[in-house]
Amino acid sequence: MDDLFDPPGTEWTRVQPSLAVMRRVLLAVGVGVLAILVVVAALVVHLPVGLVVLVVVAAVGGWLWWLVGRNVANWGYAEREDELWVTKGAWVRRLVVVPYGRMQLVDVTVGPVERAFGLAAVQLHTASPATDARIPGLRPEEAARLRDRLTELGSAEQSGL
Amino acid sequence: MSAEGPSGPVDPPPAADGDLRRLSPLTPLARSGIFLVVVVFAGGREVVQEGDLRIVLGLLVLVLLAGAVFGGLSWYRTFFRITADELRIDTGLLNRRSRRVRLDRILEIGVDQPLVARVLGLAELRIETATNESEVRLAYLSEADAHEVRRTLLARRDRARDEEEAAEPSTEAPARLLVRVPVSWQLVGVLLSPETIGLVVVVLVVVGLLIGGIPFGAFGVGVLSLLGAAVSLGRKASDWWDWTVSAVPSGLQVRHGLFGVSTRTFNVERLQGVRIVEPVLHRPFGLARLELSVAGGGVKESDEDSTGVALPVAPRHLVRRMAEDLIGARPGDLGRVATTLPPRRAGWLAPISRRWLGFGVSEDLVVGRSGWFARQTDVVPLARVQSFRATQGPLQRVLDVATVHADTPVGLVAVAGPHREPAQARRLVLEGADRARVARGGLGSRVTADTIERLSSETVRD
C-alpha cells in the first residue's frame, strides 16, 4: 500500500527550489525588521527582557526557515489522465485531487518578488471554495503550459455542476 | 478598441475573434472619481476641524496625481480577449494576472453602473461563474460595449452548451403533491424540540429557587423564559403549518406557513447534496428532517432560497426515500453505503464524537455521519464532488491518522471523514476520484427529468 501522500503511480513534478530561496529571503527581511525593532525597544525600555524576546524571535525565525524548506520540498503535482493531483504542506500535509472536468477557472499570477526570482503560480478554481489547488514556484513557461493544458483538458472533460 | 463617450443608437461592430481589446480609456477617470469623492469627504472634515487648507489641498493634488498615474498605467496594462470558448483577461501593474474563464461555465452576467460611471456613460460587467471567491469583473466599458460584450459572451456560452447537451424539456407540468405534513407529526416535531428541553431546565431551576426560598427570583425567571419559549414554539408551529412538498418541472416545491405562506423551489438539477437530521428527541418516534443543498452559483436572488429545509419532520423511511429519489439513487441505496468509524486511537483527538463519525464511499455516493444530539447524515452524489482532499495535521501525524474531504460547492452539506487510518484515507481518495469519473459519465446530466418522475407520491403517502 502506498503512503497517503505518495504520487498516483508516477513521480511528483516538484516546484522550483528557488521558491524556497524566495520565501527565505522574505522571511529573513521580516525577521530582520522585527529584530531591529526589538533591539531598539530593548535599548529604550529594558535590556534583559529585550534579549529574551530577541532569542524567541530568532528561534521562531529559525523554525520557519526550516519549515519553508520542508514545505517547498513537499510541494508537487502530477497530471493524470483524468485528474490533477497536488500535494503540499510540511506542518499540515495535504493532498488534493481535482478532476479536470470540475475546473471553473485557471489563474496564473506573477508577483513582483516572484518575477525577480523567475517564478509564477497556477491556481485552479472549482465550484467549491474548499478545493485548495494552488501551485506556486513554477517557471513561467511551465505555468503557461500547465494553464493551457488544464484549460484544454477541462473543455474535453467538461461536465456541469 | 472601445468606443468612447455616450452610447449611440447603433451597436458598434463586434470585434473579431481573439482580438486583444482594452477597457474604456475613461476607466481611470471613473475609478479615480470614486477616489475623489472619498478624498474630498475626508479632506473636507479635516478642513472643518483644523482649518489648514493648504496641506489638505496639497495632499489632495498628490493623491489625485498618484491615482491618475496608477489608474492610467493599470488601464494601459489591462487587456481582454474573447475567443470561441474562453474569455481571457490580463491585468495587473506589478502583480500580473492572466485569468481564463470558460464560456460554458458562465452562469450570469450583470451590468452595473455606479453613479460616476453612469455620468461618464460607462458600465461594468460582472461575470458570475460557480466559484464563490472569484467573481470576474470587467470595469469599465462604454455602455454600448458592455452590452455588446455581454451579448457575445452569453450567445457563445449558449452555443457551447447547446453543442454539449440536447434541448431541455420545458413543458410546464402542474405541481404534483408528494407530502403534506399532518398535524400529528408537526405536533411531535414542535413539542419535542430544543426549546422544550430548555423549558424543562427552566422549570427545574424555578422549582429549585422556590425550594431555596427565593420566590421573587423564581417568578421572574419563570415568566421570562415561559414567554420566550412560547414565542419560539409559536413561531415554529406557525412556520411549519400546512407544510406541503410538491414535484414541479424544475424540482421540488415547498409551501408552508400559517400567517404568511412562503414558497421556495429547490432546483434538482443543481442539487449538490442532501442532509438527513435525526434529533435525539425525535428518534424514539422514528422522525427525521430533510435538508437540501443547492448550488446558488452566486446568483443573488436565488441564493437565499436555494438551500434549506425541505421537510421539517417526517418518518425516517420517507425522508430517506425522498433523499434517494432526489440524488438519483435506487431505493435502499442509502442504507447500503458502508460507513466506518475512525480507529480507537483517534479518541485522543475526538474523545466523545469519535463513535459517531462515520464515512463511506459507495458506487455513486459519499456519505458522512456525525453527531449524537442531532444525528446527521450528509450524502453527496459522487457525480457532484468537485475535488477530493486528504489532510494531516501535526497531532494527526503523531497518531497516524488523516482526514478525507469530498469538496462540494459552498452550502449546507460538507462531507468529511476525520481521523482515518492513512491507508484507508488513501483508498477513499483514490476510489472516490475513480468512481466519480464513472459516476460523472453515467448519472450527471440526466438527473432532472428522471428524478422528478421518480418522486412517486404513492411511496410517499403511507
Side-chain angles (χ1 to χ4, degrees), chain B residues 87-104:
Chain B
L87 165 68
R88 178 177 161 176
I89 306 172
D90 292 327
T91 52
L93 208 53
L94 292 172
N95 247 314
R96 287 298 286 173
R97 162 177 278 204
S98 162
R99 165 163 280 191
R100 295 189 177 190
V101 186
R102 294 207 353 249
L103 296 185
D104 53 359

Side-chain angles (χ1 to χ4, degrees), chain A residues 114-136:
Chain A
E114 282 173 305
R115 185 172 313 125
F117 283 85
L119 296 174
V122 168
Q123 177 153 24
L124 231 78
H125 300 274
T126 68
S128 168
T131 304
D132 188 9
R134 191 179 129 81
I135 312 171

Side-chain angles (χ1 to χ4, degrees), chain A residues 64-87:
Chain A
L64 286 175
W65 183 276
W66 173 79
L67 204 62
V68 164
R70 290 282 310 274
N71 189 294
V72 170
N74 279 345
W75 218 310
Y77 63 97
E79 297 161 70
R80 282 189 87 203
E81 200 181 326
D82 298 293
E83 317 100 10
L84 178 74
W85 288 50
V86 182
T87 185

Side-chain angles (χ1 to χ4, degrees), chain B residues 110-114 117-118 122-126 135 137 140 146:
Chain B
V111 181
D112 285 352
Q113 277 192 301
R118 193 173 317 159
L122 300 177
E124 170 184 36
L125 283 187
R126 209 182 55 247
E135 202 176 48
R137 286 168 181 278
Y140 289 94

Side-chain angles (χ1 to χ4, degrees), chain A residues 6 97 102-103 107 126 131, chain B residues 99 105 131 383 387-388 426:
Chain A
D6 275 351
V97 181
R102 290 307 183 194
M103 263 170 14
D107 274 340
T126 68
T131 304
Chain B
R99 165 163 280 191
R105 284 298 160 87
T131 41
S387 60
F388 288 89
R426 173 84 180 179

